[in-house]
Amino acid sequence: MSERLHGTVALVTGASSGIGAATAVELARHGASVALVARRGDRLNELAETITRSGGTPLVIEADVTDEEAARSAVARTVEELGRLDTVVANAGVMLLGPIVDAPVEEWTRMVDLNVMGLLWTAHAALPHLLAAAETEPRKVADLVLVSSVAGRVARRGSGVYNLTKHGVGAFGESLRQEVTGRHVRVSLVEPGAVITELTGHNRPEIQEQNRGRWEGMERMEAVDIADAIAYVVTRPRRVAVNEILIRPTEQE
Ligand code: NDP
């Protein structure tokens, strides 16, 4: 186990699967105590057992971060039970694809509620604690990592509202970065390309069918590849802020 994050506390949203779960394990491996936030408690408990077995300190928090109060209380419980908050990975997100014309608009609401509002509630609740942590040992710097996407850089036909949410995350992150970087809170944007996770499985069956061929024959990234990038960001020395990482499978155009 590396000691780089020893004595620090992290909170990861969307920790019950995919990128969030891998990131929680990686941050714990670097010595952080980690609050695991998502809706599926059974999955979080399994992950917590894995982290505990490896010598880490997890805290399971079942919460729906689209609910402002739930997001606030997830942050508050983390600080109450683990003592401080140094690193937040706002990762929970959903990608519902398809044409804009005649789209089932409840899918738009789900994406905006989670990818935008869930991230905002989490960030708003966490920022006072991150600013406080940045003034104190052990690191005297704190991190807010926003998980965006290649879709936050490049819009494509068939992903318009997902593009809207992830472009929004990038704009928000850059504005916030300028606001808090002088106080040693680093705001970083991580923008993955295709990663093998549960993400595409939330789409309607016909959309899943249409997209099935898209990645055929291509070696996609694994969640650990993104966890590794996030760990890199948050383990840099205090003087170094990695503002943005765009990370694609080698074969993805
Ligand atoms: P997964 O579907 O595997 O993970 C999504 C996570 O978000 C789950 O842990 C889920 O847990 C959680 N979540 C969903 N709704 C809520 C909610 N209301 N409150 C709290 N947690 C919630 O997908 P990924 O790991 O792939 O996605 C993680 C992030 O990475 C997303 O922001 C996604 O947009 C981004 N991304 C993914 C890419 C990919 O190719 N996989 C590419 C680019 C970006 P639960 O259901 O238990 O609440």
Side-chain angles (χ1 to χ4, degrees):
M1 192 192 276
S2 129
E3 292 296 304
R4 282 231 152 130
L5 299 178
H6 184 73
T8 73
V9 174
L11 179 153
V12 180
T13 68
S16 62
S17 69
I19 293 168
T23 300
V25 168
E26 192 59 15
L27 298 182
R29 206 175 63 76
H30 284 283
S33 302
V34 188
L36 312 170
V37 180
R39 295 167 304 175
R40 286 172 294 176
D42 51 341
R43 297 279 289 261
L44 295 178
N45 284 322
E46 277 171 36
L47 182 66
E49 278 172 31
T50 307
I51 290 173
T52 304
R53 272 198 303 274
S54 313
T57 307
L59 172 65
V60 168
I61 302 179
E62 260 184 70
D64 176 344
V65 297
T66 65
D67 174 347
E68 179 185 350
E69 274 320 304
R72 288 196 188 288
S73 82
V75 168
R77 252 193 80 193
T78 304
V79 176
E80 255 164 53
E81 297 190 30
L82 298 175
R84 53 188 288 130
L85 186 57
D86 302 87
T87 306
V88 170
V89 183
N91 160 78
V94 63
M95 177 185 73
L96 303 170
L97 301 174
I100 293 167
V101 174
D102 291 335
V105 291
E106 64 85 21
E107 293 191 345
W108 295 359
T109 307
R110 278 170 66 195
M111 284 191 280
V112 173
D113 277 356
L114 182 59
N115 303 2
V116 178
M117 295 316 298
L119 178 138
L120 291 182
W121 301 140
T122 306
H124 189 266
L127 276 162
H129 301 290
L130 294 175
L131 286 160
E135 291 176 350
T136 54
E137 298 293 349
R139 283 198 308 155
K140 293 197 136 195
V141 67
D143 284 285
L144 173 61
V145 179
L146 307 177
V147 178
S148 176
S149 170
V150 167
R153 295 270 294 245
V154 186
R156 284 172 58 101
R157 178 176 167 165
S159 56
V161 177
Y162 185 64
N163 288 134
L164 166 81
T165 64
K166 293 300 190 181
H167 275 71
V169 168
F172 168 73
E174 174 55 17
S175 172
L176 179 60
R177 186 193 69 75
Q178 292 174 23
E179 185 177 327
V180 295
T181 197
R183 296 166 73 185
H184 295 101
V185 175
R186 302 182 293 205
V187 180
S188 309
L189 201 63
V190 173
E191 300 159 307
V195 187
I196 302 167
T197 68
E198 297 175 8
L199 192 72
T200 54
H202 305 298
N203 281 286
R204 282 169 280 143
E206 65 269 27
I207 299 288
Q208 290 192 45
E209 196 47 51
Q210 282 164 21
N211 283 290
R212 208 173 296 286
R214 187 162 170 216
W215 308 113
E216 227 159 70
M218 180 191 293
E219 189 182 6
R220 282 178 291 165
M221 293 186 287
E222 296 181 11
V224 289
D225 300 322
I226 312 307
D228 186 36
I230 293 172
Y232 175 80
V233 167
V234 305
T235 55
R236 290 313 84 203
R238 186 172 186 256
R239 65 183 179 275
V240 178
V242 180
N243 297 156
E244 192 168 357
I245 294 189
L246 177 62
I247 174 172
R248 290 188 176 93
T250 304
E251 297 168 66
Q252 183 177 343
E253 287 173 4

